[in-house]
Amino acid sequence: MIARPHQHWLPRILVWHGSVLPKIYSRLLLNFLLSIVVIAILPWYTSLGIKLTVAPFSILGVAIAIFLGFRNNACYARYVEARLLWGQLMIASRSLLREVKNTLHDEPNIAEFTRLQIAFVHSLRLSLRRQPAKAVLANYLDDKQLAQVLAVQTPANRILLMMGEWLAVRRREGKLSDILFHSLNNRLNDMSGVLAGCERIANTPVPFAYSLILHRTVYLFCIMLPFALVVDLHYMTPFVSVLISYTFIALDTLAEELEEPFGMEDNDLPLDAICNAIEIELLQMNDETVIPAKLTADKHYQLT
Amino acid sequence: MIARPHQHWLPRILVWHGSVLPKIYSRLLLNFLLSIVVIAILPWYTSLGIKLTVAPFSILGVAIAIFLGFRNNACYARYVEARLLWGQLMIASRSLLREVKNTLHDEPNIAEFTRLQIAFVHSLRLSLRRQPAKAVLANYLDDKQLAQVLAVQTPANRILLMMGEWLAVRRREGKLSDILFHSLNNRLNDMSGVLAGCERIANTPVPFAYSLILHRTVYLFCIMLPFALVVDLHYMTPFVSVLISYTFIALDTLAEELEEPFGMEDNDLPLDAICNAIEIELLQMNDETVIPAKLTADKHYQLT
Amino acid sequence: MIARPHQHWLPRILVWHGSVLPKIYSRLLLNFLLSIVVIAILPWYTSLGIKLTVAPFSILGVAIAIFLGFRNNACYARYVEARLLWGQLMIASRSLLREVKNTLHDEPNIAEFTRLQIAFVHSLRLSLRRQPAKAVLANYLDDKQLAQVLAVQTPANRILLMMGEWLAVRRREGKLSDILFHSLNNRLNDMSGVLAGCERIANTPVPFAYSLILHRTVYLFCIMLPFALVVDLHYMTPFVSVLISYTFIALDTLAEELEEPFGMEDNDLPLDAICNAIEIELLQMNDETVIPAKLTADKHYQLT
Amino acid sequence: MIARPHQHWLPRILVWHGSVLPKIYSRLLLNFLLSIVVIAILPWYTSLGIKLTVAPFSILGVAIAIFLGFRNNACYARYVEARLLWGQLMIASRSLLREVKNTLHDEPNIAEFTRLQIAFVHSLRLSLRRQPAKAVLANYLDDKQLAQVLAVQTPANRILLMMGEWLAVRRREGKLSDILFHSLNNRLNDMSGVLAGCERIANTPVPFAYSLILHRTVYLFCIMLPFALVVDLHYMTPFVSVLISYTFIALDTLAEELEEPFGMEDNDLPLDAICNAIEIELLQMNDETVIPAKLTADKHYQLT
Amino acid sequence: MIARPHQHWLPRILVWHGSVLPKIYSRLLLNFLLSIVVIAILPWYTSLGIKLTVAPFSILGVAIAIFLGFRNNACYARYVEARLLWGQLMIASRSLLREVKNTLHDEPNIAEFTRLQIAFVHSLRLSLRRQPAKAVLANYLDDKQLAQVLAVQTPANRILLMMGEWLAVRRREGKLSDILFHSLNNRLNDMSGVLAGCERIANTPVPFAYSLILHRTVYLFCIMLPFALVVDLHYMTPFVSVLISYTFIALDTLAEELEEPFGMEDNDLPLDAICNAIEIELLQMNDETVIPAKLTADKHYQLT
């Protein structure tokens, strides 16, 4: 997802792609049909002495709105933190290569080190999305490295260990003083921080009961809403009921998307594009000539 | 608790395990029965000139929802911070071992140091859960170490002191320069930060009066709710009353679970699984061959 | 205050100690009596053409609840930060002593340095609570030190200066390299950060007008509430009025307690117990044999 | 935008420039006209059995206000973070030059290094605003540098690489010890952090669906509002409807401005003025004699 | 402003100084008079078919309360951050002098360096309050220094440069090793961070449109409120209208005070007192004998 050009307010209201509408329109339709049924059976159940008014639903609606607001905040915070971590990976990647280039002036194999950096980035992306890593990592690692990396629980951490060893060899050869090794090593620690931060977001969801309680009350609220509105609004019930239901269900659904920011849904982070940008950046810093093409958004402003 | 696969919205509403329903259904049932009693005695107490309307409960309901929202936020923040601290322990554990391996290249006893690292992790977990540590720690410490560790107020801190001494011995032997010792020592300080952070969360609850005021108002509100709703809703009172009570009581109960994130309840942190992951990670970094099995979630997506 | 064992929801509602009830029950009683007066004089003032309804109070009630929520958040944030600072003092104290023990291996007078550490902790506690420091500090400082410390605006800062000098002497004697001195000095800077952070919280209240505006509107709201409720609720007015007043006044009062977390009220921080824990910890790290007893909570779960 | 002098509350209400009114007055006018139409056709559609009341719109209005509040918070947080990053750039720029001046005492070409610093600042500004950089950067870089900088994806990062190389040359010449190089290099890392932070804010919008859901519900709410108000307010409908619509639409529009803080709208950050201030600051630290004029705000208190 | 002694709740309600009442009482009086006019003309405009009810104002009131809550939060966050920055200045000032004293043991001119430290603190205060600096700085700087400092855009930054040079001279003389110079230089960087942080708060207001939209809706809301209340409350209108107006206008006005925490209003930061405390602290660390008197609060608990 990228920033869109400014649009007039009217056409924006009608956007379909990238909104959560494709996911929830069937539920809204159901709500509309239920409202019509309620209008039809109103005389019958009123004759049974059953009645519902708006006032109690007002208490419930406000309470749900407040709790939904807090949950959305919590899920959005995960999305923001996930993006922050990938931004820190960009910072650490650039800084690490800059320091290596500036301090290991005569080193002939910097490209080798850069391949480890790029492998780290792709490895992190693929494990967060639970996609197979072998084919991609084979572009950057030799066979022995690849075997070691794929054998462990956390491939990206093993790549960090290799980067540390690459630097440690230069230290033992006297090319890096202890203080400069320490400085470069701190950049590896930054990358270790990004790795564990992303794992934390991917493996620890918002407490399930939190999502469930809101999910449940939102649906029960929307189902009972037509019964409460029909006395006051009669024929207008379906329209108002769908509008209120849309507000609550859409935000509940969006919170679910944002909760797992490393997924492949419309509002998730474009990890492919971020990895691509880091790879281009590092190769350009080495003045490489063969550089991958920049990924661009599709016509719905979507990047993967 | 782990992330669940996406479910259709309808079956999600009916989930029992992992929601707080098993804890609160008796209170909801009580609320339902009270509502029925209220319907029955309505004519009698109305004849005494007693009446209750929804309007004042609307003020109270909104106020409680706002305060409950803030309290839930505070409790959720504790859960998030606790998880963050354990993520930092993963970062520090990996970085420390990577630095040790890279800088103490010829050291034959790195496995010994790694055992201290693993002992620290388990010791922290067991003291947070107030479980006996001796049997577990005996797997990683020799008898003398074990005796020293169990004799003090904070076993994990004594293990840190041993790790520092292990490194200090290498410094005195000239294997580690001061700058590299300083760097490794900073990782120990990170672990000291995790230790004291977890102690802080475990020992300092959200101010008791905060929980109590909300607990009290939520219950009094739910008890008086049927009296307020019955005039408008009559036969529908039990259903609406239980729905509103569920929203408030469930969130109050969940806040209590999240407030103590190191417990063993459904929505608490899976410390066993995190410790297991750190142990596997460190052993794999040392290319050990005997590695414990990975803990997996049960059929209700629960990890301990 | 410590974490309480889990209680059944019913007895929790009746807790007296530790809740703010002992402080506010007289105001709630006043509110109850006022409600009864209002019921009695209702016919008289209605005959004068004076009437009040719930609707305008609904606007006011929600507005006050929102603002009170924000203020409670601000006060709770002070409480949380204060606790965090004391947690950082624990971290810095442990880390400093660990580094001293590991790097000054042959130093015979580490106990002397540890006494300065413990004096710092008690000095900070006593100045935050504006209690006399002389008698306590005399246990840890010699007469010359004591005189210097008590002569200045900030005793704890003078103790830090002494700790720095103790380390500087070892540096000048060649026992500490510059890099290790720098590392130890950073721990002193951490302690300096805790000191100034606590001073900041103790000396700078939440802007007085913030507290005052809410205090004032909460009381005026509670005083006018019976007049607004009586038309709808009649005989039930006192009960509903007291319940709503309790919610608002109790949270206003709790916010005031949390605003000054270093006080001696029920919901303030147990500084005595934290200092005691740090002292025990440091003495155990030195394998001392004479160690003070651990402070424990009283039967109302209160620690000072 | 700069801080304005204090104004009497009455004239402030009438301010036009810098408020979002110029952007939204047409929509408010439309709302006013719609309200008049609604008054006119009220008897007709009431005769068809269609009616709308305020109560359901109350639920919707509060829910939208809560969600809009959270979104405004999220957008304002981006604005605040963007400003913070540019403040950190000021800090890093000053600190870097101070350290260079203090440690490279005899260096004759510090002005050369300062030109790279200033080029970095302008390059960042111009790429955030997607403006052409060549003409501006030509004032600070020689032709070879300019060609290298313009050839890559991120010009500012290439300038950082040049600054690192400038320092590395001094290190290789023995003018800078490793420890001082390490210290200066940390300032470059700070600037790298600012660069990637700004890129993150510029490239990753608030999730599009978040904006869209609120945008949509705000407009549908404002369109239906006159129908709901007219029964109660009749001739006053247009005034109250426009006031409520103004509150919601103005905040929705402002959130959009704040969401992209690097733009050129009234409430965006004055990057030109910040760059100008950094440039003046650095040149004055070098006691340069030719210094650009300070940018000042226009009569509407606007800076670009 | 300082923390007040605890007061009984009743007299607190009547406090005048330090509350925002002196600023807003004229507006509240206007609101009271308007309410009386509204009561008088009610029969007349009702006969014209104009009517207003509370329900729509309920939507508006809640929405404004929510948005005002968020804005107050944003303004309070600026106040808190400003205080935090001045706390960090205290930390950096103490730590810098402690390190200088501990590491430059034989230096005869530490008092000279301390004068630069104190000049920095006063210079920052005076530029934040846009007060003339010459007379105050002349107490701490010699003529040449004073001329240099007053010639530049940011006097405090020039003083930092002088402090860096003072340390650099000692480094070049061999009295400070590179590592200790690096450590002291980091304290200067901390002070640079405080400087730029305060500049950021002083120069970048909360987006003007944010304040304006709320300011405007609060006033229009308060003006229309008597018309809405009068139908229900009649003779009680002025009292309820003033109470509601007070809640909203007082919080709007307080937000404006907190937004610019470096001003001289009742609820702004006591910069004079903080500077005084830092000066006393540093002079006492040097065991100076001539020390300025401690500033104390006036009888309204105000410090400047």
Side-chain angles (χ1 to χ4, degrees), chain B residues 99-174:
Chain B
E99 285 189 51
V100 165
K101 287 177 72 78
N102 287 340
T103 54
L104 286 170
H105 189 245
D106 304 318
E107 170 65 41
N109 289 323
I110 288 180
E112 185 185 76
F113 186 76
T114 304
R115 277 197 294 278
L116 288 174
Q117 287 191 277
I118 299 173
F120 176 87
V121 171
H122 285 297
S123 167
L124 178 54
R125 166 176 67 89
L126 294 165
S127 71
L128 290 174
R129 290 189 161 167
R130 305 182 203 286
Q131 292 172 337
K134 192 171 181 182
V136 175
L137 295 186
N139 298 325
Y140 306 103
L141 303 176
D142 63 34
D143 289 354
K144 192 182 143 215
Q145 289 173 326
L146 192 60
Q148 282 184 355
V149 160
L150 296 177
V152 297
Q153 179 182 242
T154 317
N157 188 46
R158 171 59 61 146
I159 298 176
L160 269 188
L161 191 61
M162 289 172 180
M163 291 166 77
E165 187 54 26
W166 192 93
L167 294 170
V169 168
R170 270 76 193 160
R171 185 181 76 85
R172 287 197 290 274
E173 293 172 0

Side-chain angles (χ1 to χ4, degrees), chain A residues 3-304:
Chain A
R4 293 165 185 244
H6 280 288
Q7 270 184 302
H8 195 264
W9 63 271
L10 196 58
R12 277 192 97 170
I13 291 187
L14 306 171
V15 171
W16 179 261
H17 285 276
S19 82
V20 296
L21 265 186
K23 272 189 181 168
I24 65 170
Y25 77 96
S26 61
R27 281 169 260 178
L28 297 180
L29 197 63
L30 225 66
N31 188 281
F32 192 88
L33 297 176
L34 175 65
S35 301
I36 292 173
V37 171
V38 168
I39 297 173
I41 65 173
L42 173 64
W44 168 72
Y45 75 72
T46 306
S47 70
L48 298 177
I50 295 171
K51 58 176 178 173
L52 276 163
T53 57
V54 172
F57 284 83
S58 176
I59 301 179
L60 192 56
V62 174
I64 294 177
I66 290 168
F67 301 141
L68 200 52
F70 277 107
R71 181 178 161 231
N72 266 34
N73 226 25
C75 291
Y76 177 64
R78 291 167 62 88
Y79 171 87
V80 166
E81 195 198 353
R83 182 62 188 84
L84 190 69
L85 287 167
W86 279 85
Q88 287 172 343
L89 186 51
M90 176 60 107
I91 299 172
S93 298
R94 281 174 179 162
S95 293
L96 178 56
L97 185 53
R98 199 191 62 245
E99 283 189 51
V100 165
K101 286 177 73 76
N102 286 339
T103 53
L104 286 169
H105 189 243
D106 304 318
E107 170 64 42
N109 288 322
I110 287 179
E112 185 185 77
F113 185 76
T114 306
R115 277 197 294 279
L116 287 174
Q117 287 191 277
I118 300 174
F120 176 87
V121 171
H122 285 297
S123 167
L124 178 54
R125 167 177 65 90
L126 294 165
S127 71
L128 289 174
R129 290 189 162 167
R130 304 182 204 289
Q131 292 171 339
K134 193 171 181 180
V136 175
L137 295 187
N139 298 324
Y140 307 102
L141 303 177
D142 62 34
D143 289 354
K144 194 183 141 212
Q145 290 173 325
L146 192 61
Q148 283 184 353
V149 161
L150 296 176
V152 297
Q153 180 181 243
T154 316
N157 188 47
R158 171 58 62 145
I159 299 176
L160 268 189
L161 191 61
M162 289 171 181
M163 292 166 75
E165 186 56 25
W166 192 92
L167 294 170
V169 168
R170 269 75 192 162
R171 186 181 75 87
R172 287 197 292 272
E173 292 171 1
K175 293 181 187 164
L176 274 178
S177 67
D178 280 5
I179 187 89
L180 295 175
F181 175 79
H182 163 68
S183 180
L184 289 162
N185 189 55
N186 278 347
R187 299 291 80 69
L188 298 187
N189 288 345
D190 291 347
M191 293 167 77
S192 184
V194 170
L195 167 60
C198 288
E199 285 172 346
R200 172 170 48 81
I201 293 176
N203 295 336
T204 310
V206 172
F208 175 63
Y210 213 166
S211 305
L212 185 62
I213 293 167
L214 279 165
H215 202 66
R216 203 173 255 164
T217 44
V218 164
Y219 280 101
L220 293 177
F221 175 75
C222 291
I223 289 169
M224 297 180 85
L225 198 56
F227 295 91
L229 297 178
V230 72
V231 182
D232 276 16
L233 302 183
H234 211 64
Y235 290 137
M236 294 304 284
T237 304
F239 303 98
V240 177
S241 175
V242 163
L243 179 55
I244 296 179
S245 297
Y246 169 70
T247 311
F248 283 91
I249 295 178
L251 280 162
D252 182 60
T253 305
L254 177 58
E256 241 171 87
E257 272 191 30
L258 297 182
E259 192 184 331
E260 297 175 24
F262 300 128
M264 302 284 283
E265 292 179 294
D266 282 353
N267 291 289
D268 290 334
L269 288 174
L271 295 193
D272 288 348
I274 297 176
C275 287
N276 173 258
I278 295 178
E279 183 164 0
I280 294 176
E281 196 76 9
L282 295 180
L283 294 176
Q284 285 187 338
M285 285 177 78
N286 282 341
D287 295 310
E288 299 276 353
T289 47
V290 185
I291 290 184
K294 194 166 178 60
L295 293 184
T296 53
D298 69 10
K299 65 177 175 159
H300 300 305
Y301 308 97
Q302 292 294 330
L303 275 171
T304 50

Side-chain angles (χ1 to χ4, degrees), chain D residues 37-110:
Chain D
V37 171
V38 168
I39 296 174
I41 65 173
L42 173 63
W44 169 71
Y45 74 72
T46 306
S47 72
L48 297 177
I50 295 171
K51 59 176 178 174
L52 276 162
T53 57
V54 172
F57 283 83
S58 177
I59 301 179
L60 192 55
V62 175
I64 293 177
I66 290 168
F67 301 141
L68 200 52
F70 278 108
R71 179 176 163 233
N72 267 34
N73 227 25
C75 291
Y76 178 63
R78 291 167 62 88
Y79 171 87
V80 166
E81 195 198 354
R83 182 62 188 84
L84 190 69
L85 287 167
W86 278 86
Q88 289 172 342
L89 186 52
M90 176 59 107
I91 300 172
S93 298
R94 282 174 179 161
S95 294
L96 179 56
L97 185 54
R98 199 190 63 246
E99 284 189 51
V100 165
K101 286 176 73 77
N102 287 341
T103 53
L104 286 170
H105 189 245
D106 304 318
E107 170 64 40
N109 288 322
I110 286 180

Side-chain angles (χ1 to χ4, degrees), chain E residues 25-276:
Chain E
Y25 77 96
S26 61
R27 282 169 260 179
L28 297 180
L29 196 63
L30 225 64
N31 188 280
F32 192 87
L33 297 176
L34 176 64
S35 300
I36 292 174
V37 172
V38 167
I39 296 173
I41 65 173
L42 174 63
W44 169 72
Y45 74 73
T46 307
S47 71
L48 296 178
I50 295 171
K51 58 177 177 174
L52 277 162
T53 56
V54 173
F57 283 83
S58 176
I59 301 180
L60 192 56
V62 175
I64 293 177
I66 290 168
F67 301 140
L68 200 52
F70 278 107
R71 178 175 163 233
N72 266 35
N73 226 25
C75 291
Y76 178 64
R78 290 167 63 88
Y79 171 88
V80 166
E81 196 198 354
R83 183 62 188 83
L84 190 69
L85 287 166
W86 278 86
Q88 287 171 344
L89 186 53
M90 176 59 108
I91 300 172
S93 298
R94 281 173 179 162
S95 293
L96 179 56
L97 185 53
R98 198 190 64 245
E99 284 188 52
V100 165
K101 286 175 73 76
N102 287 340
T103 53
L104 286 170
H105 188 245
D106 305 317
E107 170 63 42
N109 289 322
I110 286 181
E112 185 185 76
F113 185 76
T114 304
R115 278 197 293 278
L116 287 174
Q117 288 191 278
I118 299 173
F120 176 87
V121 170
H122 286 296
S123 167
L124 178 55
R125 166 176 65 89
L126 294 166
S127 70
L128 289 174
R129 291 191 161 166
R130 304 182 206 287
Q131 292 172 338
K134 193 171 180 180
V136 175
L137 295 187
N139 298 325
Y140 308 102
L141 303 177
D142 62 34
D143 290 353
K144 193 182 141 212
Q145 289 173 325
L146 192 62
Q148 283 184 354
V149 160
L150 296 176
V152 298
Q153 179 181 243
T154 316
N157 189 46
R158 171 59 61 146
I159 299 174
L160 268 188
L161 192 61
M162 289 171 181
M163 292 164 76
E165 186 56 26
W166 192 93
L167 295 170
V169 167
R170 270 78 193 158
R171 185 181 75 87
R172 286 197 291 273
E173 291 172 0
K175 294 178 186 163
L176 274 177
S177 68
D178 281 5
I179 187 89
L180 295 176
F181 175 79
H182 163 69
S183 180
L184 289 163
N185 189 56
N186 278 347
R187 298 293 80 68
L188 299 187
N189 288 345
D190 291 347
M191 292 167 77
S192 184
V194 170
L195 167 60
C198 288
E199 285 172 347
R200 172 169 49 80
I201 293 176
N203 295 336
T204 309
V206 171
F208 176 64
Y210 213 166
S211 305
L212 186 61
I213 293 168
L214 280 165
H215 203 66
R216 203 174 256 163
T217 43
V218 163
Y219 280 101
L220 293 178
F221 175 74
C222 292
I223 289 168
M224 297 180 85
L225 198 56
F227 295 90
L229 296 178
V230 73
V231 182
D232 277 15
L233 302 182
H234 210 64
Y235 290 138
M236 295 304 285
T237 304
F239 304 98
V240 176
S241 175
V242 164
L243 179 54
I244 297 180
S245 298
Y246 169 69
T247 311
F248 284 92
I249 294 178
L251 281 162
D252 183 59
T253 304
L254 177 58
E256 242 169 86
E257 274 192 30
L258 297 183
E259 193 184 332
E260 296 174 24
F262 300 128
M264 302 282 284
E265 293 179 295
D266 282 353
N267 290 288
D268 290 334
L269 289 174
L271 295 193
D272 288 348
I274 298 176
C275 287
N276 173 257

Side-chain angles (χ1 to χ4, degrees), chain B:
Chain B
M1 183 184 49
I2 62 160
R4 293 165 184 242
H6 279 288
Q7 270 183 300
H8 194 264
W9 63 270
L10 197 58
R12 278 193 96 170
I13 291 187
L14 306 171
V15 171
W16 178 260
H17 284 276
S19 82
V20 295
L21 266 186
K23 272 189 182 168
I24 64 169
Y25 77 97
S26 61
R27 282 169 259 178
L28 297 181
L29 196 64
L30 225 63
N31 188 280
F32 192 87
L33 297 176
L34 175 63
S35 301
I36 292 174
V37 171
V38 168
I39 296 173
I41 65 173
L42 173 63
W44 169 71
Y45 74 73
T46 306
S47 71
L48 298 178
I50 295 171
K51 57 176 179 174
L52 276 162
T53 57
V54 173
F57 284 84
S58 176
I59 301 180
L60 192 56
V62 175
I64 293 177
I66 290 169
F67 302 140
L68 200 52
F70 277 107
R71 180 176 162 233
N72 266 35
N73 227 24
C75 291
Y76 178 64
R78 290 167 63 88
Y79 172 87
V80 166
E81 196 198 353
R83 183 61 188 84
L84 190 68
L85 287 166
W86 278 85
Q88 287 171 344
L89 186 51
M90 175 60 106
I91 299 172
S93 298
R94 281 173 178 162
S95 293
L96 179 55
L97 184 53
R98 198 191 63 245
E99 285 189 51
V100 165
K101 287 177 72 78
N102 287 340
T103 54
L104 286 170
H105 189 245
D106 304 318
E107 170 65 41
N109 289 323
I110 288 180
E112 185 185 76
F113 186 76
T114 304
R115 277 197 294 278
L116 288 174
Q117 287 191 277
I118 299 173
F120 176 87
V121 171
H122 285 297
S123 167
L124 178 54
R125 166 176 67 89
L126 294 165
S127 71
L128 290 174
R129 290 189 161 167
R130 305 182 203 286
Q131 292 172 337
K134 192 171 181 182
V136 175
L137 295 186
N139 298 325
Y140 306 103
L141 303 176
D142 63 34
D143 289 354
K144 192 182 143 215
Q145 289 173 326
L146 192 60
Q148 282 184 355
V149 160
L150 296 177
V152 297
Q153 179 182 242
T154 317
N157 188 46
R158 171 59 61 146
I159 298 176
L160 269 188
L161 191 61
M162 289 172 180
M163 291 166 77
E165 187 54 26
W166 192 93
L167 294 170
V169 168
R170 270 76 193 160
R171 185 181 76 85
R172 287 197 290 274
E173 293 172 0
K175 294 180 185 164
L176 273 177
S177 68
D178 280 5
I179 187 90
L180 295 175
F181 176 78
H182 164 68
S183 181
L184 289 162
N185 188 56
N186 279 346
R187 299 292 79 70
L188 299 187
N189 288 344
D190 291 348
M191 292 167 78
S192 183
V194 170
L195 167 60
C198 288
E199 284 172 346
R200 172 170 47 81
I201 293 177
N203 295 336
T204 310
V206 172
F208 176 64
Y210 214 166
S211 305
L212 185 61
I213 293 167
L214 280 165
H215 203 67
R216 204 173 255 164
T217 44
V218 163
Y219 280 101
L220 292 178
F221 175 75
C222 291
I223 289 168
M224 297 179 84
L225 199 55
F227 295 90
L229 296 178
V230 73
V231 182
D232 277 14
L233 302 182
H234 212 64
Y235 290 138
M236 294 304 284
T237 304
F239 304 97
V240 176
S241 176
V242 163
L243 179 55
I244 296 180
S245 297
Y246 169 70
T247 310
F248 284 91
I249 295 177
L251 280 163
D252 183 59
T253 305
L254 177 59
E256 241 170 88
E257 273 192 31
L258 297 182
E259 193 183 331
E260 296 174 24
F262 301 127
M264 302 284 282
E265 293 178 294
D266 282 353
N267 291 288
D268 290 335
L269 288 173
L271 295 193
D272 288 348
I274 298 176
C275 287
N276 172 257
I278 295 178
E279 182 164 1
I280 294 176
E281 196 76 8
L282 295 180
L283 294 176
Q284 285 187 339
M285 285 177 78
N286 281 342
D287 295 311
E288 298 276 353
T289 47
V290 184
I291 290 184
K294 193 166 180 60
L295 294 184
T296 52
D298 69 10
K299 65 177 175 159
H300 300 307
Y301 308 98
Q302 293 293 330
L303 276 170
T304 51

